[in-house]
Amino acid sequence: MDRSLAQLEKGMKRRIVVACAFFACGLSGLSARLVWLQVVDHEKYAEEASDHYSDRVPLPASRGEIRDRNGDLLARNQTIYTIVADCQHLRDFGITCVALAKQEGTGPRTIKQNYEPKEIVSKYLDLVSKELSGLLRIPEGELKRKLMSKEKGRIVLARDVEEDAAQEFRAVLGRYLIGGIKLEAGERRYYPSPLSLTHVIGYVDRDGFGREGVEKVFDGEMRGEDGYRYIERDRRAREIHAFRGDEREPRHGNSIRLTVDMSLQVRVEEILDEVWQQYRPEKATAIWMDPRTGEVLAMASRPHFDLTTRQGSLRNVAVSDFYEPGSTFKIVAASAALDRGLVTPQTEIYCHDGFYDEEGLKLKDHHPYGMLTVEGVLAKSSNIGIYKIARQINRLPFHDYVTNFGFGAPTGIELTAETGGMLHGIEKWNQSSFSSLSMGYAIGVTPMQMASAYCAVANGGELLKPHLLKAIEDPRGRVLWSNRREVVRRVMSDETSSLMRTALAKVTQEGGTGTNAALPGYEVAGKTGTAKKNIPGKGYADGRYVVSFAGFLPADQPELVGLVVVDDPHADGVSLYGGTIAAPIWAKMASQAVRLRGIVPQDAERHRLAEVDPSAVTIEGITD
Amino acid sequence: MAKRNVSWLLLSVGFLLGLGIVMLISTCAFSETSPVEDVYKDAKRQVVWICAGVFVCVVTASIDYRLYQRWVWLLVGAVILLLIMCYIPGLGHKVNGEWRWVRLGGFQFQPSELAKIVLAAFLGAWFALHSDSGAHPTRGFLYPISIAGVMILLVFFEKDMGTALVMAATCLTVMFVAGVRWYYLGGLTSLGMCGLAVMVKLDAHRTGRILAYLDMEANKLGFAFQQWIGLMALGSGGVTGRGLGEGRLKMLYMPFAHTDFIFPMIGEELGLMFTLAVIFAFLVFALAGASISFQAPDIFGRLLGMGLVSFIVFQAALNIGVTTAVLPNKGIPLPFVSYGGSSLLAVMVAVGILLNIYRQGRTDEAENRCWVNSRRITPRV
């Protein structure tokens, strides 16, 4: 027995050693696993873990503002909030129990003991939907369904919530201790006057990219660069400030200052609205510029576009559309002939009796004019006369003048979707297209090109690049860049320019076509334009016109160039001419412009008149 | 070794207890369950539990372990009764859908913790009585396994699968040491595996956990979330760790970060050095405990000692295996380290009994100079 017991004990002790070996093997295996996890796979898990707790938070850059030349705000940023539900937090006991305890007037622990977890969440979501449904304008049931739909992640409940409404939200969230609903601040572009200068400004889309107009052209300048910050979050997604990591400050966007004078712009828009009402045209546009610098002071187009609702036509007629200018284009032939010394302003041209028929070319004037001086040809707008002047120049030099005036190529103004118009190459010209071109047909010009061309006539013969951008300023207001006068080329000599100014001044005087553009106290120079409307595929339509007036003042030392184009006006009792429709509109705008721009009248006596009744010139009651 | 085994045992236990309280202070403030007004409440409570544990350890170290042999049937009966009480709604207390707790007179505890110790005592007593029956099919195997099986299954159906597994492994180890034929044990193990597979298949929740375990990457936000976080914590800790208190993942939604999943938190904050140290400490504990059993004065002491050592080591291995995703997810605390009173008291009782076995085993004067033996509180039975 003893021996067997001893044997038994021996066996038992041996098996204890075996068991120990087994323990040692098992624990060694786990050690190997740990070495694998913590040494070999360390990088992988460290990266994976940092995805969980750390976050790269963008620090958004503010978009630069847009101001007019006087510093009035045209576009700024407005803080708006997105209301987001964090589904995980809505189910966090730390949040739900506290809110329910407040509602039921007990402690969080009681809530946790009294209800099942699912009940707590459901009751909490009931509370949230009840209190927020009013503010969110979502019915209670629907809101709860929405909040129940996901267990994790975020649900956007409302966008574009403005500061006032956000305050209300904060108050409600605070009052009921509601957690898991967040207000995320963002910025939205805000346009103080959403119905002015809309085609020039353009708009910013939801993602903060400029889409049209200067918002697009200067997008890179205004957008700035978002910064970032690495933060770490705890499980309730609260930032742990102690573990804040790298960060880079955002670079806020630069502001831009436009050459536009908003006070003038508003008047121009108002007048254009009246035109839109009165004549029901297809399109209308007006451009006002400073001929000395090439700065655009006002630019408006119809059909309109509303920056707030984004309703209407985005097309900026002033640069994106071209039209057959008609007689306003006659300055090209006239100044070319004067510049080359082929004619003087007093050279007499025989304009027949209103009809001209030579080698199959048939031209017609409005009236039989007989003999006219070059000035007279412009003042009466004789087609026959201008063709005869152009004929003296010859095709090639004339073509050069057309292109030198900037026609056929974009002006390069800081706007989107600018077209160069339409100008046939000289190799395609025949006699009729040459004659047509001299009187402003067979060419497509943009209003912007036409306004620039008149600037060249007005400023002494230099074609300037038109500008909308006056300056770029950094967020602190320091000027980073400011606009300089940019000469594209000299189109004509100073003397020619002077002769042209005198000749064009005759247009608005007694006997000219543009008498309606005359402004008391100022000598106005300009040219009317009445072109038959070319309907694509149908040719020139009877009774439908594109009427325009381009002009500048004061005639001897111009400070202001303006162009008004009305495409296809409808009117009863008024003839559809540039002189009868466009010229009065131009005068009405000019009367505002001289006042706002502080242009001193040349005539003291007339000055007094102008002061007594600045709106003496009206569209109503005009006769041919 | 033989002389100093008890010092090593106490050294490893002390190290684990100390590390446990340090890590608890570091993590409990972020626990979902910790009250807002006193985030260190759990840590404070654990200090009290450790004091109570040491006290209980001293008391059990002073009680002659042979008492348990004498009263073993009473103990088995009491444990089975307590385990059954868990299922009775008035007495049992349901936590997370599991009937692990029993409430008696304002005091609640997990009978399964007690069951582990009683199981070791029962098997030791049985095979001490039938020391020559290792090869006997009924006395040497079928009878003891039936009684042990009742306890294990009662625990298993409380949905405490982890503890049931630990008990089963303990049972097998003790029976192996006692000399039960290996093919009985092998057969039993395979039978148990099959049974387990069927159980898992029948329980959708458990099936989900197993499937999540098999494809952890795909389920890292679902069933495997906890283990995945555990892996990230361990992996991102690297060799040296982020530094004490610098752990990040405890701040994520990590249930049981300070209880069952304390080990990954050690790995994240203190690195491989300390995770290996923990494993080494358990190895030292196992060897020291086995050495004490080796020198136990009788068969009961030897088997009881091995039973206690193996339940603690298996529990540690299971916990570490789960947190390192070697094994599917099961909730089981890491002995000495995890927060929790019931579990701590149980392991401290086990340590106390081991100490008593050590003391009874030493008779010669030279050994008695060792400080654990310097004073004898209770006479030998």
Side-chain angles (χ1 to χ4, degrees), chain A residues 75-89:
Chain A
R76 67 176 174 84
N77 303 307
Q78 190 181 27
T79 306
I80 48 148
Y81 297 87
T82 307
I83 300 198
V84 178
D86 186 311
C87 297
Q88 215 166 339
H89 295 178

Side-chain angles (χ1 to χ4, degrees), chain A residues 33 38 42 48 232 235, chain B residues 30 32 235 248 251 275 324:
Chain A
R33 169 72 174 162
Q38 300 199 274
H42 168 63
E48 179 95 24
E232 296 191 4
R235 65 166 188 279
Chain B
F30 301 97
E32 189 75 350
R248 299 295 198 271
M251 296 177 196
T275 52
T324 53

Side-chain angles (χ1 to χ4, degrees), chain A residues 61-64 208-209 218-225 251-253:
Chain A
S62 288
R63 192 176 174 84
F209 289 92
F218 300 109
D219 192 48
E221 215 42 80
M222 286 194 282
R223 187 130 49 89
E225 207 177 326
R251 190 178 62 72
H252 295 298

Side-chain angles (χ1 to χ4, degrees), chain A residues 8-9 12-13 15-16 20 23 31 33-34 37-38 42 48 52-53 109 152 232 234-235 240 243, chain B residues 30 32 176-177 179 220-221 232 234-236 238 242 248 251-253 267 272 275 290 294 302 324:
Chain A
L8 189 77
E9 291 228 327
M12 224 176 245
K13 286 182 172 176
R15 286 192 291 271
I16 288 178
C20 283
F23 291 152
S31 305
R33 169 72 174 162
L34 280 173
L37 280 177
Q38 300 199 274
H42 168 63
E48 179 95 24
H52 270 262
Y53 61 78
R109 276 174 175 265
K152 275 177 187 161
E232 296 191 4
D234 68 5
R235 65 166 188 279
I240 308 166
F243 295 149
Chain B
F30 301 97
E32 189 75 350
F176 167 76
V177 173
K220 61 187 178 187
L221 290 175
M232 286 197 300
L234 281 166
S236 59
R242 289 181 198 272
R248 299 295 198 271
M251 296 177 196
L252 294 176
Y253 183 76
L272 182 69
T275 52
F294 198 88
R302 190 163 298 147
T324 53

